[in-house]
Amino acid sequence: MSGDVRRRVDDVVVVGGGAAGLCLADRLVGSGTGVTLVEAPNGPLRPAERTWCYWEAGAGEFEEAVVASWQRLRVRGPDGGVVESDPAPLRYRMVRSGPFERLVHARLAACPTARVVRATVHEVRDAPYGAEVHCTTAGGRPLTLRGDCVFDSRPVRGTPPHRTLLLQHFRGWFVRTASPRFDPGVADLMDFRVPQPRRGLAFGYVLPLAPDRALVEYTEFSRAPLTRAAYDAALRHYTAEVLRLGPLTVDSAEQGVIPMTDARFPRRTGPAVFRIGAAGGATRPATGYTFATVQRQSRSVAASVLRGRPSVPPPHGRRALAMDAVLLRALDTGRVDGPRFFTELFRRVPMERLLRFLDGGSTPWEEFGIGLRTPVGPMLRTAAELPFLARRATGRSEESPR
């Protein structure tokens, strides 16, 4: 890096090249804001390629990075019963982090007020002129980046105080079968025909990419992740005994853990330092979906920067968070049967309406109707106890009897 890199003050510095950082950098450039995006150098700090999914109506801002999409969605109950629907105008989309990163980088490269810096970030702090980011370049040189404000998307260490903490943990195989086994027009969001854990729930997840190719995942909502051997055993059972795919080849795999919690994530850590993405609470607590939220968040953040008053709005409404807190607690205590809960919800609520609710786009009246289609007694009991439960930074959910 040349000396002028150290002295210049950018409009905005975005830390982290994941979904949140890339979305925000793209939106800021589109609004005419000068931006520096800081990404980890090649090596152990750069995550493996990931898959992000979301539903959206019409062509979106990142349509060029969509590698597959599905018009029909399906949920399978533990007994094999099927709920299948076309949630038009919504369409389920898959984005892979590699193509998405290349698309955003190309847009940044075409803008003279944008740049991408590869460096390891050690500290972000406020400064008299705004904020600064202390880094080390791939070559080992210290580097200080300065901006009017900084938006930090790095994962937080530990979960803030909470009443409930479940983990959505999963491992997926990109498989290729010896003969056509998949319907490329239908995605399985939840397939509960798998053994269930003592607490929480488990399901299969199938995203067909071609008649003989698909992403097949095993997912759990529970308190602790599994070993890789346990995930692979569950996937072997699911692909061979449940889906009956026959001979197959595993081309690649992905694995992850997503906290599902009612913790309150701070969106501001200083006068000019903000947190975005999952670090700022963008993950929907009851589902683990994040990608659509960071797109909305990025639009709002870019508008606030353009007005000269940078801010990060709450990623989810209060009603949605309250309902999610009740559901997480009910699942964690075992008061509701997870597979039955979700299967009945998809069966009794039009899928388009339910997806809008999960994306924060439903009306209060629609939310009331959705609430009536859940196990009302256990949910009301759980809602009544939540205000009396302390939020604790335990790393685990607070224990309680049924």
Side-chain angles (χ1 to χ4, degrees):
M1 294 291 172
S2 60
D4 64 331
V5 170
R6 296 169 180 268
R7 292 191 295 270
R8 64 182 274 183
V9 178
D10 298 293
D11 294 338
V12 175
V13 178
V14 177
V15 177
L22 290 168
C23 281
L24 180 56
D26 180 78
R27 175 58 62 169
L28 289 168
V29 166
S31 68
T33 302
V35 59
T36 292
L37 173 64
V38 190
E39 295 184 345
N42 292 331
L45 293 180
R46 286 187 68 79
E49 189 164 16
R50 293 146 290 165
T51 298
W52 300 313
C53 290
Y54 62 107
W55 42 85
E56 187 175 43
E61 302 169 41
F62 304 112
E63 198 68 22
E64 297 165 71
V66 173
V67 297
S69 66
W70 301 270
Q71 189 63 54
R72 299 191 65 82
L73 303 177
R74 184 165 53 202
V75 172
R76 296 181 185 269
D79 60 355
V82 174
V83 180
E84 184 176 322
S85 180
D86 177 352
L90 301 178
R91 192 175 184 92
Y92 198 56
R93 290 166 159 84
M94 173 199 280
V95 169
R96 295 281 283 162
S97 59
F100 182 69
E101 179 182 286
R102 290 191 290 273
L103 172 64
V104 175
H105 279 193
R107 293 177 179 179
L108 297 180
C111 179
T113 60
R115 59 178 175 151
V116 177
V117 173
R118 289 290 181 90
T120 302
V121 175
H122 305 295
E123 183 183 15
V124 178
R125 67 186 185 191
D126 288 290
Y129 46 79
E132 57 189 26
V133 180
H134 295 268
C135 324
T136 301
T137 68
R141 296 176 55 194
L143 172 67
T144 298
L145 301 170
R146 297 180 171 91
D148 292 337
C149 58
V150 173
F151 293 93
D152 190 352
S153 67
R154 293 174 300 162
V156 295
R157 293 183 178 180
T159 304
H162 53 270
R163 295 167 299 196
T164 310
L165 171 61
L166 290 175
L167 301 178
Q168 180 181 159
H169 51 99
F170 59 90
R171 182 169 173 82
W173 287 347
F174 285 88
V175 302
R176 189 182 303 270
T177 56
S179 59
R181 295 289 184 179
F182 305 106
D183 179 354
V186 184
D188 283 282
L189 291 183
M190 289 180 158
D191 183 348
F192 292 108
R193 298 175 298 167
V194 296
Q196 296 298 313
R198 189 173 67 87
R199 286 178 180 265
L201 63 125
F203 58 89
Y205 178 59
V206 183
L207 301 182
L209 305 174
D212 62 342
R213 292 187 299 114
L215 169 60
V216 181
E217 286 189 356
Y218 172 81
T219 301
E220 279 194 18
F221 293 2
S222 60
R223 293 188 175 189
L226 307 180
T227 64
R228 177 172 172 176
Y231 288 121
D232 284 342
L235 280 166
R236 283 194 295 270
H237 173 267
Y238 183 53
T239 55
E241 304 300 326
V242 179
L243 298 179
R244 299 185 181 277
L245 297 181
L248 59 82
T249 301
V250 179
D251 291 334
S252 62
E254 65 177 26
Q255 188 169 321
V257 179
I258 303 170
M260 302 171 65
T261 178
D262 63 356
R264 297 166 178 166
F265 290 82
R267 303 185 307 278
R268 190 169 196 162
T269 58
V273 179
F274 304 85
R275 285 200 168 274
I276 58 172
T283 300
R284 182 70 190 261
T287 67
Y289 282 100
T290 307
F291 192 79
T293 304
V294 300
Q295 292 186 61
R296 292 194 302 271
Q297 187 181 69
S298 297
R299 288 191 288 268
S300 297
V301 170
S304 73
V305 171
L306 202 58
R307 292 192 301 268
R309 298 188 297 275
S311 65
V312 177
H316 305 289
R318 291 183 178 180
R319 293 193 311 272
L321 291 178
M323 296 176 76
D324 285 1
V326 172
L327 174 57
L328 289 178
R329 180 72 180 174
L331 287 172
D332 191 41
T333 58
R335 292 191 185 123
V336 299
D337 179 291
R340 182 182 298 274
F341 176 92
F342 283 106
T343 302
E344 288 301 310
L345 200 58
F346 275 95
R347 179 174 288 123
R348 301 177 66 187
V349 179
M351 192 172 289
E352 186 270 342
R353 184 183 306 168
L354 185 56
L355 295 183
R356 281 194 294 105
F357 164 71
L358 295 176
D359 221 17
S362 53
T363 67
W365 180 249
E366 288 173 329
E367 292 165 8
F368 178 73
I370 291 171
L372 291 178
R373 288 162 175 79
T374 65
V376 175
M379 298 295 275
L380 286 177
R381 178 184 172 188
T382 304
E385 81 172 1
L386 276 176
F388 302 99
L389 299 177
R391 293 180 180 270
R392 300 178 181 178
T394 60
R396 295 189 57 175
S397 305
E398 181 182 345
E399 296 280 357
S400 79
R402 290 189 184 183

